[in-house]
Every structure is written in C-alpha cells, then in structure tokens.
Amino acid sequence: KAIFTTYDYDVTFIETKYQGHARKIVRELPPLDLVVSVGGDGTYNEVMTGNFERKQRLILSHLPYGTTNDIGSMFGLGKNLYNNLNLILSGKVCGIDICTLNGRPFTYTAGFGKFMNVPYETTRNLKKRIGKTAYIINGIHNFFHQKTNLYELTYEIDGVKQCGFFSFLLVSNANRIAGIDNFYKDVKLDDNYFELLFCSL
C-alpha cells in the first residue's frame, strides 16, 4: 500500500473467493486508473477476460505470485514483489495482442491434445513443494501412461489450406510456456501475430 501511495494512487484491495471471481470483479468495476492483479497466470487470465467483457476497458497489470509465472516473465518481471510493483507503477502503458477461440479470449497460450490436462491435474501442493518441476513430472507420466490420440485438422494460413493428423496443437504469444524459457525465439506481445505449434506424434 505504501508503494502505491508513493505514486499517488488511492488503493483498494479485493480478495477473490472462488474460481472465476476475479473475472466477475473486473467486469463489474467502476472506471479506474489501474487494476493490478496478484497471483498466478490463471489469475491474470481471469482478470483479462473480465476486462475483455467490459464496454469501457481498464488498464491492467500483474504482479506474478504463482508457481511458474510465465506471464510475469513475458512482462519482464522478476521474483521480487516490491521491485515488480515499482517497475509497474513507473512504467508506461503498452498494448498486447489478445487471441480469441470461439469468442473466448486468452492471455498467452491455449491448445488441445496431448499434455493439455497436465496444468489442471498438477496439484497445488506439488507445485508449492517443487515448483515448475511438478509440471515436468506430470508431463512425463502423461507421455508414458496415457493414450495419444490423433485429431484430423484442417487449417488455413495466408490463403493456403493444409490438412493432417495431430496429437497436439498450441497457440501462444509467449517465449516462456509452463516454466520453459525460450520456447520460441523473438516473440513480440504486440505484433498482431500468435505462434502455432503442431505435433503429429
């Protein structure tokens, strides 16, 4: 609160009570100068989705306080909560690309197929104990113990249609995914492009 005051903000803290609550809170907020979410990647995605549903959008930022904090890394933030807040409040407002699938927005990644259940099935307790390694362990288990399905997919890029069978598709706007750095090279958050990864095995 003292840091906010230093930058001449009157601050109100609102704690979420259930999954989806952050989305509802942001959707119903009155006009404000800035909304800063504190939590993991899922928390920010909820906040962004609530903002996306507003007629008058708010300026958002995020203090990473989760397990892998991919979104915080995208924004160039580190692990120190107070340093990050100072960086946010002394920074400049920038736009980022928001992709939608069937009208539903997402912040940095979405997909289907193999490994998509790993983030949801990795327990919070395990993530707290061993961090992002928890995702790797569950990913290895998924690879060896769950059937790999192939999905027929037709897609069009720059007017060229392609068709194939794929086990995995990832749409993203990040160079760090599931705690893995340099997933892609030279990713920009505001270039009107998202990256696609297709896997056929």
Side-chain angles (χ1 to χ4, degrees):
K1 187 173 182 178
I3 294 173
F4 276 105
T5 303
T6 301
Y7 289 88
D8 295 325
Y9 282 97
D10 292 323
V11 61
T12 301
F13 295 95
I14 305 174
E15 184 178 351
T16 57
K17 303 295 184 184
Y18 51 85
Q19 185 175 352
H21 193 197
R23 176 180 177 178
K24 181 177 185 294
I25 290 169
V26 173
R27 187 175 62 235
E28 297 175 356
L29 283 173
L32 298 170
D33 293 323
L34 176 66
V35 174
V36 180
S37 56
V38 182
D41 297 331
T43 301
Y44 181 75
N45 197 66
E46 278 194 28
V47 168
M48 181 279 302
T49 301
N51 198 41
F52 200 85
E53 295 168 343
R54 296 173 57 93
K55 288 184 179 179
Q56 185 178 358
R57 303 269 169 83
L58 302 170
I59 296 172
L60 305 180
S61 193
H62 182 65
L63 279 173
Y65 205 62
T67 306
T68 54
N69 298 315
D70 290 331
I71 291 172
S73 177
M74 283 167 48
F75 293 158
L77 301 175
K79 295 184 177 181
N80 187 298
L81 200 66
Y82 304 105
N83 287 347
N84 288 339
L85 185 55
N86 277 299
L87 286 171
I88 288 167
L89 297 179
S90 63
K92 63 178 182 177
V93 177
C94 299
I96 63 169
D97 299 325
I98 300 294
C99 190
T100 61
L101 289 175
N102 298 325
R104 183 175 176 180
F106 62 91
T107 307
Y108 82 114
T109 187
F112 72 85
K114 193 76 171 171
F115 305 117
M116 285 297 104
N117 59 324
V118 170
Y120 304 102
E121 293 179 358
T122 304
T123 65
R124 181 170 290 182
N125 184 44
L126 187 61
K127 288 189 289 185
K128 282 185 177 179
R129 284 195 291 122
I130 60 175
K132 64 184 180 184
T133 307
Y135 292 120
I136 296 170
I137 290 171
N138 272 5
I140 292 169
H141 181 270
N142 180 288
F143 183 81
F144 287 107
H145 294 94
Q146 293 194 8
K147 180 183 175 184
T148 300
N149 296 311
L150 291 177
Y151 303 89
E152 186 174 8
L153 180 66
T154 300
Y155 59 95
E156 182 177 331
I157 299 176
D158 294 333
V160 179
K161 280 191 176 181
Q162 300 283 348
C163 186
F165 288 88
F166 302 94
S167 62
F168 176 80
L169 168 66
L170 191 67
V171 183
S172 63
N173 191 33
N175 61 359
R176 175 170 148 161
I177 298 173
I180 301 171
D181 290 313
N182 299 314
F183 203 88
Y184 294 106
K185 302 292 184 184
D186 195 31
V187 173
K188 295 179 176 63
L189 301 180
D190 60 351
D191 60 359
N192 290 320
Y193 287 99
F194 270 61
E195 285 64 46
L196 288 174
L197 175 63
F198 297 89
C199 289
S200 57
L201 295 177

